[in-house]
mmCIF file of all heavy atoms in Angstrom:
data_model
loop_
_atom_site.group_PDB
_atom_site.id
_atom_site.type_symbol
_atom_site.label_atom_id
_atom_site.label_comp_id
_atom_site.label_asym_id
_atom_site.label_seq_id
_atom_site.Cartn_x
_atom_site.Cartn_y
_atom_site.Cartn_z
ATOM 1 N N GLY A 160 121.384 53.052 79.761
ATOM 2 C CA GLY A 160 122.331 53.646 78.836
ATOM 3 C C GLY A 160 122.489 52.818 77.575
ATOM 4 O O GLY A 160 121.803 51.821 77.379
ATOM 5 N N GLU A 161 123.407 53.226 76.747
ATOM 6 C CA GLU A 161 123.671 52.530 75.487
ATOM 7 C C GLU A 161 124.782 51.494 75.630
ATOM 8 O O GLU A 161 124.787 50.477 74.956
ATOM 9 C CB GLU A 161 124.070 53.558 74.432
ATOM 10 C CG GLU A 161 124.285 52.981 73.058
ATOM 11 C CD GLU A 161 124.612 54.038 72.027
ATOM 12 O OE1 GLU A 161 124.569 55.241 72.339
ATOM 13 O OE2 GLU A 161 124.916 53.647 70.887
ATOM 14 N N TYR A 162 125.734 51.763 76.529
ATOM 15 C CA TYR A 162 126.896 50.898 76.702
ATOM 16 C C TYR A 162 127.005 50.408 78.140
ATOM 17 O O TYR A 162 126.587 51.096 79.067
ATOM 18 C CB TYR A 162 128.185 51.651 76.359
ATOM 19 C CG TYR A 162 128.217 52.185 74.964
ATOM 20 C CD1 TYR A 162 128.012 53.522 74.702
ATOM 21 C CD2 TYR A 162 128.461 51.333 73.889
ATOM 22 C CE1 TYR A 162 128.044 54.025 73.421
ATOM 23 C CE2 TYR A 162 128.492 51.818 72.595
ATOM 24 C CZ TYR A 162 128.282 53.164 72.364
ATOM 25 O OH TYR A 162 128.311 53.636 71.086
ATOM 26 N N LYS A 163 127.585 49.237 78.321
ATOM 27 C CA LYS A 163 127.905 48.714 79.650
ATOM 28 C C LYS A 163 129.373 48.973 79.936
ATOM 29 O O LYS A 163 130.164 49.223 79.041
ATOM 30 C CB LYS A 163 127.634 47.213 79.728
ATOM 31 C CG LYS A 163 126.171 46.847 79.709
ATOM 32 C CD LYS A 163 125.459 47.372 80.923
ATOM 33 C CE LYS A 163 125.039 46.241 81.818
ATOM 34 N NZ LYS A 163 124.354 46.645 83.012
ATOM 35 N N VAL A 164 129.743 48.899 81.209
ATOM 36 C CA VAL A 164 131.117 49.119 81.635
ATOM 37 C C VAL A 164 131.870 47.800 81.659
ATOM 38 O O VAL A 164 131.321 46.766 82.061
ATOM 39 C CB VAL A 164 131.151 49.750 83.046
ATOM 40 C CG1 VAL A 164 132.571 49.822 83.581
ATOM 41 C CG2 VAL A 164 130.520 51.130 83.029
ATOM 42 N N ILE A 165 133.104 47.838 81.201
ATOM 43 C CA ILE A 165 134.033 46.742 81.447
ATOM 44 C C ILE A 165 135.200 47.330 82.227
ATOM 45 O O ILE A 165 135.561 48.487 82.053
ATOM 46 C CB ILE A 165 134.498 46.023 80.162
ATOM 47 C CG1 ILE A 165 135.139 47.002 79.173
ATOM 48 C CG2 ILE A 165 133.352 45.262 79.524
ATOM 49 C CD1 ILE A 165 135.711 46.321 77.933
ATOM 50 N N ARG A 166 135.749 46.537 83.131
ATOM 51 C CA ARG A 166 136.838 47.015 84.000
ATOM 52 C C ARG A 166 138.040 46.101 83.892
ATOM 53 O O ARG A 166 137.905 44.914 83.614
ATOM 54 C CB ARG A 166 136.382 47.065 85.452
ATOM 55 C CG ARG A 166 135.331 48.111 85.719
ATOM 56 C CD ARG A 166 135.023 48.176 87.206
ATOM 57 N NE ARG A 166 134.030 49.165 87.501
ATOM 58 C CZ ARG A 166 134.288 50.411 87.879
ATOM 59 N NH1 ARG A 166 135.525 50.815 88.006
ATOM 60 N NH2 ARG A 166 133.322 51.254 88.122
ATOM 61 N N GLY A 167 139.199 46.675 84.157
ATOM 62 C CA GLY A 167 140.438 45.914 84.155
ATOM 63 C C GLY A 167 141.192 46.076 82.853
ATOM 64 O O GLY A 167 141.186 47.129 82.230
ATOM 65 N N SER A 168 141.841 45.019 82.449
ATOM 66 C CA SER A 168 142.560 44.979 81.178
ATOM 67 C C SER A 168 142.732 43.518 80.800
ATOM 68 O O SER A 168 142.308 42.633 81.523
ATOM 69 C CB SER A 168 143.912 45.688 81.289
ATOM 70 O OG SER A 168 144.702 45.095 82.285
ATOM 71 N N SER A 169 143.340 43.267 79.670
ATOM 72 C CA SER A 169 143.493 41.885 79.216
ATOM 73 C C SER A 169 144.821 41.710 78.504
ATOM 74 O O SER A 169 145.582 42.662 78.314
ATOM 75 C CB SER A 169 142.349 41.506 78.279
ATOM 76 O OG SER A 169 142.564 42.017 76.978
ATOM 77 N N TRP A 170 145.056 40.513 78.063
ATOM 78 C CA TRP A 170 146.264 40.198 77.302
ATOM 79 C C TRP A 170 146.313 40.962 75.986
ATOM 80 O O TRP A 170 147.364 41.046 75.360
ATOM 81 C CB TRP A 170 146.353 38.699 77.078
ATOM 82 C CG TRP A 170 145.151 38.122 76.400
ATOM 83 C CD1 TRP A 170 143.999 37.697 76.988
ATOM 84 C CD2 TRP A 170 144.981 37.921 75.000
ATOM 85 N NE1 TRP A 170 143.108 37.258 76.052
ATOM 86 C CE2 TRP A 170 143.694 37.376 74.802
ATOM 87 C CE3 TRP A 170 145.777 38.155 73.889
ATOM 88 C CZ2 TRP A 170 143.200 37.063 73.556
ATOM 89 C CZ3 TRP A 170 145.271 37.836 72.638
ATOM 90 C CH2 TRP A 170 144.003 37.292 72.484
ATOM 91 N N LEU A 171 145.201 41.565 75.586
ATOM 92 C CA LEU A 171 145.174 42.359 74.359
ATOM 93 C C LEU A 171 145.763 43.761 74.545
ATOM 94 O O LEU A 171 146.068 44.432 73.575
ATOM 95 C CB LEU A 171 143.732 42.486 73.849
ATOM 96 C CG LEU A 171 143.061 41.182 73.420
ATOM 97 C CD1 LEU A 171 141.594 41.421 73.115
ATOM 98 C CD2 LEU A 171 143.774 40.578 72.228
ATOM 99 N N ASN A 172 145.903 44.213 75.798
ATOM 100 C CA ASN A 172 146.457 45.539 76.077
ATOM 101 C C ASN A 172 147.972 45.541 75.930
ATOM 102 O O ASN A 172 148.618 44.529 76.134
ATOM 103 C CB ASN A 172 146.113 45.972 77.508
ATOM 104 C CG ASN A 172 144.652 46.280 77.675
ATOM 105 O OD1 ASN A 172 143.886 45.391 78.028
ATOM 106 N ND2 ASN A 172 144.265 47.502 77.439
ATOM 107 N N ASP A 173 148.498 46.724 75.617
ATOM 108 C CA ASP A 173 149.958 46.850 75.609
ATOM 109 C C ASP A 173 150.439 47.232 77.007
ATOM 110 O O ASP A 173 149.643 47.476 77.906
ATOM 111 C CB ASP A 173 150.436 47.845 74.549
ATOM 112 C CG ASP A 173 149.980 49.269 74.798
ATOM 113 O OD1 ASP A 173 149.706 49.622 75.964
ATOM 114 O OD2 ASP A 173 149.923 50.042 73.832
ATOM 115 N N GLU A 174 151.745 47.304 77.202
ATOM 116 C CA GLU A 174 152.310 47.522 78.538
ATOM 117 C C GLU A 174 151.920 48.878 79.143
ATOM 118 O O GLU A 174 151.959 49.055 80.352
ATOM 119 C CB GLU A 174 153.837 47.379 78.522
ATOM 120 C CG GLU A 174 154.564 48.418 77.699
ATOM 121 C CD GLU A 174 154.682 48.075 76.223
ATOM 122 O OE1 GLU A 174 154.161 47.027 75.784
ATOM 123 O OE2 GLU A 174 155.291 48.866 75.488
ATOM 124 N N ARG A 175 151.494 49.826 78.335
ATOM 125 C CA ARG A 175 151.097 51.138 78.858
ATOM 126 C C ARG A 175 149.683 51.142 79.415
ATOM 127 O O ARG A 175 149.316 52.021 80.181
ATOM 128 C CB ARG A 175 151.219 52.216 77.775
ATOM 129 C CG ARG A 175 152.647 52.457 77.321
ATOM 130 C CD ARG A 175 152.702 53.367 76.106
ATOM 131 N NE ARG A 175 152.143 52.613 74.975
ATOM 132 C CZ ARG A 175 151.377 53.107 74.012
ATOM 133 N NH1 ARG A 175 151.071 54.383 74.013
ATOM 134 N NH2 ARG A 175 150.925 52.361 73.037
ATOM 135 N N THR A 176 148.873 50.180 79.019
ATOM 136 C CA THR A 176 147.465 50.196 79.417
ATOM 137 C C THR A 176 147.035 48.988 80.241
ATOM 138 O O THR A 176 145.853 48.803 80.466
ATOM 139 C CB THR A 176 146.561 50.316 78.177
ATOM 140 O OG1 THR A 176 146.821 49.212 77.304
ATOM 141 C CG2 THR A 176 146.797 51.623 77.452
ATOM 142 N N ILE A 177 147.968 48.168 80.687
ATOM 143 C CA ILE A 177 147.613 47.044 81.562
ATOM 144 C C ILE A 177 147.447 47.596 82.978
ATOM 145 O O ILE A 177 148.420 47.911 83.644
ATOM 146 C CB ILE A 177 148.678 45.938 81.533
ATOM 147 C CG1 ILE A 177 148.728 45.320 80.144
ATOM 148 C CG2 ILE A 177 148.389 44.886 82.586
ATOM 149 C CD1 ILE A 177 149.784 44.265 79.983
ATOM 150 N N ARG A 178 146.193 47.773 83.377
ATOM 151 C CA ARG A 178 145.883 48.323 84.698
ATOM 152 C C ARG A 178 144.592 47.707 85.207
ATOM 153 O O ARG A 178 143.629 47.568 84.466
ATOM 154 C CB ARG A 178 145.680 49.848 84.617
ATOM 155 C CG ARG A 178 146.880 50.626 84.191
ATOM 156 C CD ARG A 178 146.582 52.075 83.816
ATOM 157 N NE ARG A 178 145.322 52.597 84.274
ATOM 158 C CZ ARG A 178 145.188 53.572 85.185
ATOM 159 N NH1 ARG A 178 146.238 54.109 85.736
ATOM 160 N NH2 ARG A 178 144.014 54.019 85.521
ATOM 161 N N SER A 179 144.548 47.374 86.477
ATOM 162 C CA SER A 179 143.331 46.803 87.048
ATOM 163 C C SER A 179 142.242 47.851 87.245
ATOM 164 O O SER A 179 141.078 47.506 87.421
ATOM 165 C CB SER A 179 143.636 46.119 88.377
ATOM 166 O OG SER A 179 144.140 47.053 89.298
ATOM 167 N N VAL A 180 142.577 49.132 87.209
ATOM 168 C CA VAL A 180 141.593 50.191 87.459
ATOM 169 C C VAL A 180 140.973 50.756 86.185
ATOM 170 O O VAL A 180 140.174 51.693 86.257
ATOM 171 C CB VAL A 180 142.207 51.342 88.292
ATOM 172 C CG1 VAL A 180 142.644 50.846 89.650
ATOM 173 C CG2 VAL A 180 143.354 51.988 87.563
ATOM 174 N N ASN A 181 141.297 50.219 85.019
ATOM 175 C CA ASN A 181 140.681 50.704 83.780
ATOM 176 C C ASN A 181 139.167 50.569 83.872
ATOM 177 O O ASN A 181 138.640 49.586 84.397
ATOM 178 C CB ASN A 181 141.173 49.900 82.579
ATOM 179 C CG ASN A 181 142.575 50.252 82.185
ATOM 180 O OD1 ASN A 181 143.082 51.306 82.503
ATOM 181 N ND2 ASN A 181 143.213 49.339 81.479
ATOM 182 N N ARG A 182 138.465 51.548 83.328
ATOM 183 C CA ARG A 182 137.006 51.532 83.264
ATOM 184 C C ARG A 182 136.630 52.112 81.917
ATOM 185 O O ARG A 182 136.814 53.291 81.664
ATOM 186 C CB ARG A 182 136.413 52.382 84.383
ATOM 187 C CG ARG A 182 134.903 52.444 84.378
ATOM 188 C CD ARG A 182 134.424 53.343 85.519
ATOM 189 N NE ARG A 182 132.996 53.519 85.451
ATOM 190 C CZ ARG A 182 132.366 54.405 84.691
ATOM 191 N NH1 ARG A 182 133.058 55.224 83.921
ATOM 192 N NH2 ARG A 182 131.069 54.498 84.691
ATOM 193 N N VAL A 183 136.114 51.275 81.020
ATOM 194 C CA VAL A 183 135.773 51.707 79.671
ATOM 195 C C VAL A 183 134.396 51.174 79.295
ATOM 196 O O VAL A 183 133.838 50.320 79.978
ATOM 197 C CB VAL A 183 136.836 51.259 78.630
ATOM 198 C CG1 VAL A 183 138.178 51.913 78.917
ATOM 199 C CG2 VAL A 183 136.999 49.756 78.626
ATOM 200 N N PHE A 184 133.846 51.660 78.195
ATOM 201 C CA PHE A 184 132.524 51.199 77.756
ATOM 202 C C PHE A 184 132.650 50.151 76.655
ATOM 203 O O PHE A 184 133.661 50.063 75.964
ATOM 204 C CB PHE A 184 131.652 52.363 77.302
ATOM 205 C CG PHE A 184 132.160 53.096 76.089
ATOM 206 C CD1 PHE A 184 131.774 52.692 74.833
ATOM 207 C CD2 PHE A 184 133.007 54.179 76.219
ATOM 208 C CE1 PHE A 184 132.228 53.366 73.707
ATOM 209 C CE2 PHE A 184 133.466 54.864 75.109
ATOM 210 C CZ PHE A 184 133.073 54.454 73.857
ATOM 211 N N TYR A 185 131.593 49.361 76.502
ATOM 212 C CA TYR A 185 131.560 48.322 75.490
ATOM 213 C C TYR A 185 130.120 48.088 75.085
ATOM 214 O O TYR A 185 129.209 48.160 75.919
ATOM 215 C CB TYR A 185 132.171 47.037 76.046
ATOM 216 C CG TYR A 185 132.634 46.081 74.974
ATOM 217 C CD1 TYR A 185 133.855 46.258 74.341
ATOM 218 C CD2 TYR A 185 131.847 45.001 74.592
ATOM 219 C CE1 TYR A 185 134.290 45.394 73.357
ATOM 220 C CE2 TYR A 185 132.277 44.129 73.603
ATOM 221 C CZ TYR A 185 133.494 44.334 73.001
ATOM 222 O OH TYR A 185 133.923 43.471 72.024
ATOM 223 N N GLU A 186 129.894 47.799 73.817
ATOM 224 C CA GLU A 186 128.533 47.560 73.325
ATOM 225 C C GLU A 186 127.929 46.320 73.974
ATOM 226 O O GLU A 186 128.600 45.306 74.134
ATOM 227 C CB GLU A 186 128.545 47.383 71.808
ATOM 228 C CG GLU A 186 128.922 48.642 71.072
ATOM 229 C CD GLU A 186 128.826 48.473 69.574
ATOM 230 O OE1 GLU A 186 127.998 47.674 69.104
ATOM 231 O OE2 GLU A 186 129.581 49.154 68.873
ATOM 232 N N THR A 187 126.675 46.400 74.328
ATOM 233 C CA THR A 187 126.008 45.285 74.995
ATOM 234 C C THR A 187 125.612 44.179 74.029
ATOM 235 O O THR A 187 125.352 43.069 74.441
ATOM 236 C CB THR A 187 124.748 45.764 75.740
ATOM 237 O OG1 THR A 187 123.864 46.372 74.796
ATOM 238 C CG2 THR A 187 125.100 46.727 76.831
ATOM 239 N N SER A 188 125.571 44.459 72.740
ATOM 240 C CA SER A 188 125.130 43.457 71.773
ATOM 241 C C SER A 188 126.227 42.475 71.389
ATOM 242 O O SER A 188 125.959 41.459 70.775
ATOM 243 C CB SER A 188 124.605 44.145 70.509
ATOM 244 O OG SER A 188 125.653 44.899 69.910
ATOM 245 N N GLY A 189 127.459 42.771 71.761
ATOM 246 C CA GLY A 189 128.580 41.902 71.397
ATOM 247 C C GLY A 189 128.671 40.662 72.269
ATOM 248 O O GLY A 189 128.002 40.535 73.291
ATOM 249 N N THR A 190 129.498 39.734 71.861
ATOM 250 C CA THR A 190 129.685 38.500 72.622
ATOM 251 C C THR A 190 130.834 38.617 73.607
ATOM 252 O O THR A 190 131.086 37.709 74.366
ATOM 253 C CB THR A 190 129.981 37.321 71.679
ATOM 254 O OG1 THR A 190 131.167 37.629 70.932
ATOM 255 C CG2 THR A 190 128.827 37.069 70.750
ATOM 256 N N GLY A 191 131.539 39.708 73.584
ATOM 257 C CA GLY A 191 132.619 39.910 74.532
ATOM 258 C C GLY A 191 133.990 39.841 73.899
ATOM 259 O O GLY A 191 134.908 40.486 74.356
ATOM 260 N N GLY A 192 134.163 39.076 72.863
ATOM 261 C CA GLY A 192 135.453 38.996 72.213
ATOM 262 C C GLY A 192 136.466 38.193 73.016
ATOM 263 O O GLY A 192 136.170 37.614 74.045
ATOM 264 N N GLY A 193 137.704 38.195 72.552
ATOM 265 C CA GLY A 193 138.737 37.372 73.151
ATOM 266 C C GLY A 193 139.302 37.883 74.444
ATOM 267 O O GLY A 193 139.935 37.153 75.168
ATOM 268 N N GLY A 194 139.074 39.142 74.789
ATOM 269 C CA GLY A 194 139.681 39.681 75.992
ATOM 270 C C GLY A 194 138.688 40.093 77.055
ATOM 271 O O GLY A 194 139.027 40.811 77.972
ATOM 272 N N ILE A 195 137.410 39.648 76.956
ATOM 273 C CA ILE A 195 136.383 40.054 77.908
ATOM 274 C C ILE A 195 135.728 38.828 78.518
ATOM 275 O O ILE A 195 135.392 37.879 77.831
ATOM 276 C CB ILE A 195 135.317 40.950 77.247
ATOM 277 C CG1 ILE A 195 135.987 42.189 76.658
ATOM 278 C CG2 ILE A 195 134.242 41.342 78.242
ATOM 279 C CD1 ILE A 195 135.048 43.068 75.874
ATOM 280 N N SER A 196 135.541 38.866 79.823
ATOM 281 C CA SER A 196 134.931 37.761 80.554
ATOM 282 C C SER A 196 134.008 38.345 81.621
ATOM 283 O O SER A 196 133.592 39.485 81.520
ATOM 284 C CB SER A 196 136.032 36.902 81.188
ATOM 285 O OG SER A 196 135.481 35.764 81.783
ATOM 286 N N PHE A 197 133.693 37.591 82.643
ATOM 287 C CA PHE A 197 132.904 38.093 83.761
ATOM 288 C C PHE A 197 133.329 37.360 85.015
ATOM 289 O O PHE A 197 133.995 36.330 84.950
ATOM 290 C CB PHE A 197 131.392 37.939 83.523
ATOM 291 C CG PHE A 197 130.949 36.510 83.440
ATOM 292 C CD1 PHE A 197 130.510 35.841 84.564
ATOM 293 C CD2 PHE A 197 130.977 35.832 82.234
ATOM 294 C CE1 PHE A 197 130.108 34.521 84.490
ATOM 295 C CE2 PHE A 197 130.580 34.516 82.144
ATOM 296 C CZ PHE A 197 130.134 33.857 83.277
ATOM 297 N N ARG A 198 132.987 37.912 86.146
ATOM 298 C CA ARG A 198 133.301 37.293 87.425
ATOM 299 C C ARG A 198 132.015 37.171 88.216
ATOM 300 O O ARG A 198 131.270 38.134 88.348
ATOM 301 C CB ARG A 198 134.297 38.149 88.207
ATOM 302 C CG ARG A 198 134.623 37.583 89.575
ATOM 303 C CD ARG A 198 135.585 38.464 90.314
ATOM 304 N NE ARG A 198 136.845 38.517 89.585
ATOM 305 C CZ ARG A 198 137.893 39.216 89.978
ATOM 306 N NH1 ARG A 198 137.831 39.930 91.073
ATOM 307 N NH2 ARG A 198 138.993 39.212 89.277
ATOM 308 N N CYS A 199 131.742 35.992 88.740
ATOM 309 C CA CYS A 199 130.574 35.801 89.600
ATOM 310 C C CYS A 199 130.893 36.368 90.981
ATOM 311 O O CYS A 199 131.986 36.153 91.507
ATOM 312 C CB CYS A 199 130.225 34.328 89.723
ATOM 313 S SG CYS A 199 129.732 33.591 88.159
ATOM 314 N N ALA A 200 129.969 37.099 91.537
ATOM 315 C CA ALA A 200 130.179 37.692 92.859
ATOM 316 C C ALA A 200 128.860 37.711 93.610
ATOM 317 O O ALA A 200 127.789 37.691 93.013
ATOM 318 C CB ALA A 200 130.712 39.109 92.719
ATOM 319 N N MET A 201 128.951 37.749 94.915
ATOM 320 C CA MET A 201 127.765 37.797 95.757
ATOM 321 C C MET A 201 127.824 39.063 96.589
ATOM 322 O O MET A 201 128.889 39.431 97.104
ATOM 323 C CB MET A 201 127.726 36.578 96.674
ATOM 324 C CG MET A 201 126.503 36.543 97.547
ATOM 325 S SD MET A 201 126.435 35.059 98.574
ATOM 326 C CE MET A 201 127.561 35.515 99.876
ATOM 327 N N ASN A 202 126.712 39.721 96.739
ATOM 328 C CA ASN A 202 126.618 40.884 97.577
ATOM 329 C C ASN A 202 126.768 40.450 99.027
ATOM 330 O O ASN A 202 126.033 39.597 99.513
ATOM 331 C CB ASN A 202 125.275 41.575 97.355
ATOM 332 C CG ASN A 202 125.126 42.844 98.136
ATOM 333 O OD1 ASN A 202 125.816 43.083 99.114
ATOM 334 N ND2 ASN A 202 124.178 43.665 97.714
#
């Protein structure tokens, strides 16, 4: 696809959109910005 998924929310969200179940798209060419990170996980 053109975009990757980011999930959750961050300190950049307002009180109406702070939810752990958020699922939105984000450009893959970006560095992530101030409110995006990653979590290491093992299958």
